[in-house]
Amino acid sequence: MKKIKHYNIMLVEDEELLRQSLARHIDALDNGYKVICQAMDGQEALDMLKQEDIHLIITDIRMPVMDGLTLARNVHQQYPHILTVILSGYADFQYAQEALRQGVFDYLLKPVSRENLESTLGKASLALQKYYELEEDTSMTGKDAQEIVDYVVLYIRNHYMDDIDFSDLSSRMGFSSAYLTKLFNKYVGNTPLKYLTDVRIHEAKHLLLNTALPIREVGEKVGYPDQFHFSKTFRKLAGMNPSTYRQKPEENE
């Protein structure tokens, strides 16, 4: 197994006193973690992740520039191996619970008690240890890994219109979604979620240019029952909204 001297933590909190206090509490626990960097908001944290080797992020929900939930969503998509813990005040408790359904590992209620902090870090240690055990598993040969990736690619192309749960799909194959993402990045060059999105938007472009289906139905046929979400995702990848794309077939072809 990969030898890790300690797990690196990034703290993201716009209140400096609270951030420094939490850092001292983590250091005092002396349980295999080290706070190696701190950020004032989500955007600063994302910028730091390009240079720092982070295992765990502890972030507040309410911050300027980019809030904690947006940060967590970006981390889950771009760095699925990094665990995220949300810091929540009682008033934001419902947001913390929602965050758990979006890939956040755990949440801590303010003020953070030593007992709860120690419990959360303990659970995170087990999850990180399991991930790195899978990462170092030499029983999976290159051929086996390629076959798994080829299967997932085929599955996505056949089921892009469905609600695909990659955690469930990977667990049925015997490993974590983080490990599937690692394999996918190695053999395909991006994450399963990004590949799924690319397939969906490619199919949407075909439908927009070759059918008279309403925008809403186009979105539904490629896996986006929410028209707003479909239009937002399409615009992000195509550089224009679906109706504009349909009106300029010469340029798009």
Side-chain angles (χ1 to χ4, degrees):
M1 180 182 151
K2 183 177 180 179
K3 184 66 175 177
I4 298 177
K5 294 171 64 176
H6 52 75
Y7 293 122
N8 297 331
I9 291 181
M10 173 189 286
L11 295 182
V12 190
E13 165 64 65
D14 60 322
E15 295 183 28
E16 184 175 359
L17 290 179
L18 179 57
R19 197 172 66 244
Q20 297 295 345
S21 174
L22 189 57
R24 288 194 298 271
H25 278 86
I26 292 170
D27 289 341
L29 287 175
D30 192 25
N31 60 350
Y33 286 94
K34 184 177 181 181
V35 176
I36 68 164
C37 60
Q38 302 179 29
M40 296 280 291
D41 59 68
Q43 186 57 59
E44 185 181 4
L46 282 180
D47 293 340
M48 286 184 175
L49 285 176
K50 296 174 184 177
Q51 286 85 36
E52 301 289 351
D53 181 21
I54 301 297
H55 303 104
L56 176 67
I57 294 173
I58 300 179
T59 177
D60 193 14
I61 287 183
R62 294 182 181 272
M63 295 178 295
V65 186
M66 180 186 292
D67 63 49
L69 294 183
T70 305
L71 169 62
R73 187 160 54 248
N74 277 280
V75 170
H76 185 59
Q77 293 174 353
Q78 299 176 39
Y79 307 94
H81 61 285
I82 298 178
L83 301 183
T84 306
V85 172
I86 290 287
L87 280 174
S88 167
Y90 182 75
D92 296 321
F93 180 61
Q94 67 184 65
Y95 296 109
Q97 290 182 310
E98 175 62 26
L100 292 179
R101 294 189 282 271
Q102 298 180 9
V104 169
F105 179 73
D106 203 356
Y107 65 87
L108 287 165
L109 282 176
K110 299 178 183 178
V112 180
S113 70
R114 179 188 176 94
E115 181 182 353
N116 289 341
L117 179 62
E118 191 168 18
S119 174
T120 292
L121 293 182
K123 288 187 293 184
S125 291
L126 293 175
L128 289 166
Q129 182 180 357
K130 183 177 180 182
Y131 169 78
Y132 285 107
E133 284 174 353
L134 284 169
E135 186 186 45
E136 294 298 307
D137 185 359
T138 56
S139 65
M140 182 173 289
T141 64
K143 181 181 176 182
D144 292 336
Q146 182 69 68
E147 287 177 351
I148 287 171
V149 172
D150 289 345
Y151 168 77
V152 176
V153 165
L154 184 61
Y155 184 88
I156 289 173
R157 299 197 67 84
N158 289 333
H159 296 273
Y160 65 86
M161 69 294 296
D162 301 326
D163 183 15
I164 299 178
D165 185 336
F166 287 110
S167 293
D168 179 64
L169 181 62
S170 55
S171 66
R172 281 189 272 136
M173 292 187 287
F175 44 80
S176 69
S177 57
Y179 191 59
L180 174 61
T181 297
K182 179 181 175 64
L183 292 180
F184 223 81
N185 266 319
K186 179 178 180 180
Y187 290 96
V188 179
N190 56 27
T191 67
L193 180 59
K194 178 64 167 59
Y195 185 81
L196 170 62
T197 303
D198 288 345
V199 169
R200 284 174 166 174
I201 298 306
H202 175 79
E203 295 299 325
K205 288 178 178 178
H206 175 78
L207 291 174
L208 288 168
L209 296 181
N210 295 281
T211 76
L213 290 172
I215 303 298
R216 176 181 56 79
E217 288 189 31
V218 171
E220 290 174 351
K221 285 186 175 294
V222 298
Y224 295 105
D226 183 332
Q227 184 176 338
F228 176 77
H229 185 209
F230 168 58
S231 295
K232 182 180 179 182
T233 303
F234 189 95
R235 184 166 57 251
K236 182 178 180 181
L237 270 70
M240 63 185 76
N241 62 41
S243 58
T244 303
Y245 185 90
R246 170 174 272 168
Q247 292 165 7
K248 299 183 178 181
E250 301 85 4
E251 294 180 20
N252 299 325
E253 288 176 349

mmCIF file of all heavy atoms in Angstrom, residues 28-49:
data_model
loop_
_atom_site.group_PDB
_atom_site.id
_atom_site.type_symbol
_atom_site.label_atom_id
_atom_site.label_comp_id
_atom_site.label_asym_id
_atom_site.label_seq_id
_atom_site.Cartn_x
_atom_site.Cartn_y
_atom_site.Cartn_z
ATOM 1 N N ALA A 28 -3.874 19.425 17.534
ATOM 2 C CA ALA A 28 -3.861 18.906 18.903
ATOM 3 C C ALA A 28 -4.310 17.450 18.966
ATOM 4 O O ALA A 28 -3.866 16.693 19.844
ATOM 5 C CB ALA A 28 -4.756 19.766 19.796
ATOM 6 N N LEU A 29 -5.155 17.043 18.026
ATOM 7 C CA LEU A 29 -5.621 15.650 18.023
ATOM 8 C C LEU A 29 -4.489 14.686 17.698
ATOM 9 O O LEU A 29 -4.470 13.546 18.180
ATOM 10 C CB LEU A 29 -6.755 15.472 17.000
ATOM 11 C CG LEU A 29 -8.112 16.077 17.360
ATOM 12 C CD1 LEU A 29 -9.090 15.913 16.200
ATOM 13 C CD2 LEU A 29 -8.691 15.426 18.614
ATOM 14 N N ASP A 30 -3.546 15.133 16.848
ATOM 15 C CA ASP A 30 -2.376 14.314 16.503
ATOM 16 C C ASP A 30 -2.797 12.913 16.053
ATOM 17 O O ASP A 30 -2.300 11.903 16.550
ATOM 18 C CB ASP A 30 -1.423 14.220 17.699
ATOM 19 C CG ASP A 30 -0.069 13.642 17.295
ATOM 20 O OD1 ASP A 30 0.293 13.761 16.115
ATOM 21 O OD2 ASP A 30 0.603 13.056 18.171
ATOM 22 N N ASN A 31 -3.723 12.858 15.083
ATOM 23 C CA ASN A 31 -4.250 11.558 14.653
ATOM 24 C C ASN A 31 -4.036 11.285 13.167
ATOM 25 O O ASN A 31 -4.864 10.669 12.502
ATOM 26 C CB ASN A 31 -5.745 11.456 14.979
ATOM 27 C CG ASN A 31 -6.564 12.534 14.291
ATOM 28 O OD1 ASN A 31 -6.018 13.469 13.721
ATOM 29 N ND2 ASN A 31 -7.879 12.394 14.351
ATOM 30 N N GLY A 32 -2.896 11.753 12.658
ATOM 31 C CA GLY A 32 -2.542 11.423 11.283
ATOM 32 C C GLY A 32 -2.949 12.456 10.254
ATOM 33 O O GLY A 32 -2.884 12.173 9.047
ATOM 34 N N TYR A 33 -3.360 13.636 10.701
ATOM 35 C CA TYR A 33 -3.742 14.705 9.779
ATOM 36 C C TYR A 33 -2.841 15.924 9.993
ATOM 37 O O TYR A 33 -2.348 16.161 11.094
ATOM 38 C CB TYR A 33 -5.189 15.140 10.005
ATOM 39 C CG TYR A 33 -6.210 14.147 9.505
ATOM 40 C CD1 TYR A 33 -6.740 13.181 10.361
ATOM 41 C CD2 TYR A 33 -6.656 14.179 8.187
ATOM 42 C CE1 TYR A 33 -7.678 12.272 9.915
ATOM 43 C CE2 TYR A 33 -7.607 13.277 7.734
ATOM 44 C CZ TYR A 33 -8.109 12.325 8.595
ATOM 45 O OH TYR A 33 -9.041 11.433 8.150
ATOM 46 N N LYS A 34 -2.686 16.700 8.909
ATOM 47 C CA LYS A 34 -1.933 17.940 8.998
ATOM 48 C C LYS A 34 -2.594 18.993 8.132
ATOM 49 O O LYS A 34 -2.866 18.751 6.951
ATOM 50 C CB LYS A 34 -0.487 17.718 8.536
ATOM 51 C CG LYS A 34 0.398 18.946 8.688
ATOM 52 C CD LYS A 34 1.843 18.625 8.285
ATOM 53 C CE LYS A 34 2.742 19.839 8.463
ATOM 54 N NZ LYS A 34 4.130 19.549 8.058
ATOM 55 N N VAL A 35 -2.883 20.153 8.712
ATOM 56 C CA VAL A 35 -3.438 21.267 7.942
ATOM 57 C C VAL A 35 -2.283 21.915 7.184
ATOM 58 O O VAL A 35 -1.392 22.509 7.785
ATOM 59 C CB VAL A 35 -4.127 22.305 8.853
ATOM 60 C CG1 VAL A 35 -4.616 23.501 8.015
ATOM 61 C CG2 VAL A 35 -5.286 21.670 9.602
ATOM 62 N N ILE A 36 -2.284 21.793 5.862
ATOM 63 C CA ILE A 36 -1.146 22.323 5.084
ATOM 64 C C ILE A 36 -1.492 23.599 4.326
ATOM 65 O O ILE A 36 -0.583 24.281 3.837
ATOM 66 C CB ILE A 36 -0.590 21.269 4.106
ATOM 67 C CG1 ILE A 36 -1.587 20.964 2.985
ATOM 68 C CG2 ILE A 36 -0.176 20.009 4.832
ATOM 69 C CD1 ILE A 36 -0.952 20.254 1.818
ATOM 70 N N CYS A 37 -2.792 23.920 4.193
ATOM 71 C CA CYS A 37 -3.135 25.187 3.547
ATOM 72 C C CYS A 37 -4.527 25.638 3.966
ATOM 73 O O CYS A 37 -5.355 24.820 4.397
ATOM 74 C CB CYS A 37 -3.028 25.100 2.022
ATOM 75 S SG CYS A 37 -4.090 23.866 1.267
ATOM 76 N N GLN A 38 -4.756 26.937 3.852
ATOM 77 C CA GLN A 38 -6.032 27.532 4.241
ATOM 78 C C GLN A 38 -6.467 28.522 3.169
ATOM 79 O O GLN A 38 -5.633 29.192 2.549
ATOM 80 C CB GLN A 38 -5.902 28.245 5.587
ATOM 81 C CG GLN A 38 -5.429 27.338 6.718
ATOM 82 C CD GLN A 38 -5.295 28.075 8.034
ATOM 83 O OE1 GLN A 38 -5.998 29.055 8.285
ATOM 84 N NE2 GLN A 38 -4.400 27.613 8.899
ATOM 85 N N ALA A 39 -7.788 28.605 2.950
ATOM 86 C CA ALA A 39 -8.332 29.514 1.947
ATOM 87 C C ALA A 39 -9.492 30.302 2.533
ATOM 88 O O ALA A 39 -10.165 29.848 3.462
ATOM 89 C CB ALA A 39 -8.789 28.734 0.709
ATOM 90 N N MET A 40 -9.726 31.470 1.956
ATOM 91 C CA MET A 40 -10.779 32.363 2.435
ATOM 92 C C MET A 40 -12.130 32.086 1.765
ATOM 93 O O MET A 40 -13.170 32.466 2.276
ATOM 94 C CB MET A 40 -10.394 33.818 2.162
ATOM 95 C CG MET A 40 -9.162 34.291 2.913
ATOM 96 S SD MET A 40 -9.541 34.739 4.615
ATOM 97 C CE MET A 40 -10.521 36.216 4.373
ATOM 98 N N ASP A 41 -12.116 31.459 0.592
ATOM 99 C CA ASP A 41 -13.360 31.186 -0.125
ATOM 100 C C ASP A 41 -13.152 30.016 -1.088
ATOM 101 O O ASP A 41 -12.030 29.536 -1.277
ATOM 102 C CB ASP A 41 -13.840 32.429 -0.886
ATOM 103 C CG ASP A 41 -12.820 32.923 -1.902
ATOM 104 O OD1 ASP A 41 -12.575 32.229 -2.900
ATOM 105 O OD2 ASP A 41 -12.249 34.009 -1.682
ATOM 106 N N GLY A 42 -14.234 29.590 -1.716
ATOM 107 C CA GLY A 42 -14.171 28.420 -2.582
ATOM 108 C C GLY A 42 -13.292 28.590 -3.801
ATOM 109 O O GLY A 42 -12.593 27.658 -4.204
ATOM 110 N N GLN A 43 -13.302 29.768 -4.404
ATOM 111 C CA GLN A 43 -12.490 29.983 -5.601
ATOM 112 C C GLN A 43 -11.002 29.927 -5.276
ATOM 113 O O GLN A 43 -10.212 29.332 -6.011
ATOM 114 C CB GLN A 43 -12.820 31.344 -6.225
ATOM 115 C CG GLN A 43 -12.116 31.584 -7.565
ATOM 116 C CD GLN A 43 -12.428 30.502 -8.580
ATOM 117 O OE1 GLN A 43 -13.588 30.284 -8.930
ATOM 118 N NE2 GLN A 43 -11.400 29.796 -9.048
ATOM 119 N N GLU A 44 -10.624 30.526 -4.155
ATOM 120 C CA GLU A 44 -9.221 30.456 -3.727
ATOM 121 C C GLU A 44 -8.819 29.011 -3.464
ATOM 122 O O GLU A 44 -7.706 28.584 -3.791
ATOM 123 C CB GLU A 44 -9.008 31.308 -2.475
ATOM 124 C CG GLU A 44 -7.558 31.391 -2.035
ATOM 125 C CD GLU A 44 -7.350 32.219 -0.775
ATOM 126 O OE1 GLU A 44 -8.364 32.678 -0.184
ATOM 127 O OE2 GLU A 44 -6.193 32.404 -0.378
ATOM 128 N N ALA A 45 -9.743 28.236 -2.880
ATOM 129 C CA ALA A 45 -9.472 26.824 -2.606
ATOM 130 C C ALA A 45 -9.242 26.047 -3.892
ATOM 131 O O ALA A 45 -8.301 25.247 -3.997
ATOM 132 C CB ALA A 45 -10.635 26.218 -1.825
ATOM 133 N N LEU A 46 -10.093 26.260 -4.908
ATOM 134 C CA LEU A 46 -9.930 25.564 -6.190
ATOM 135 C C LEU A 46 -8.594 25.911 -6.832
ATOM 136 O O LEU A 46 -7.931 25.037 -7.415
ATOM 137 C CB LEU A 46 -11.075 25.924 -7.138
ATOM 138 C CG LEU A 46 -12.416 25.224 -6.905
ATOM 139 C CD1 LEU A 46 -13.442 25.704 -7.927
ATOM 140 C CD2 LEU A 46 -12.274 23.705 -6.979
ATOM 141 N N ASP A 47 -8.188 27.164 -6.733
ATOM 142 C CA ASP A 47 -6.896 27.572 -7.288
ATOM 143 C C ASP A 47 -5.751 26.863 -6.569
ATOM 144 O O ASP A 47 -4.782 26.421 -7.206
ATOM 145 C CB ASP A 47 -6.727 29.093 -7.173
ATOM 146 C CG ASP A 47 -7.703 29.854 -8.070
ATOM 147 O OD1 ASP A 47 -8.225 29.260 -9.024
ATOM 148 O OD2 ASP A 47 -7.943 31.046 -7.788
ATOM 149 N N MET A 48 -5.860 26.727 -5.242
ATOM 150 C CA MET A 48 -4.810 26.067 -4.466
ATOM 151 C C MET A 48 -4.701 24.576 -4.805
ATOM 152 O O MET A 48 -3.615 23.993 -4.769
ATOM 153 C CB MET A 48 -5.089 26.217 -2.968
ATOM 154 C CG MET A 48 -4.814 27.592 -2.416
ATOM 155 S SD MET A 48 -5.074 27.629 -0.613
ATOM 156 C CE MET A 48 -4.545 29.305 -0.244
ATOM 157 N N LEU A 49 -5.831 23.960 -5.136
ATOM 158 C CA LEU A 49 -5.831 22.518 -5.422
ATOM 159 C C LEU A 49 -4.984 22.164 -6.637
ATOM 160 O O LEU A 49 -4.576 21.015 -6.796
ATOM 161 C CB LEU A 49 -7.265 22.022 -5.632
ATOM 162 C CG LEU A 49 -8.116 21.870 -4.369
ATOM 163 C CD1 LEU A 49 -9.537 21.472 -4.728
ATOM 164 C CD2 LEU A 49 -7.503 20.847 -3.420
#
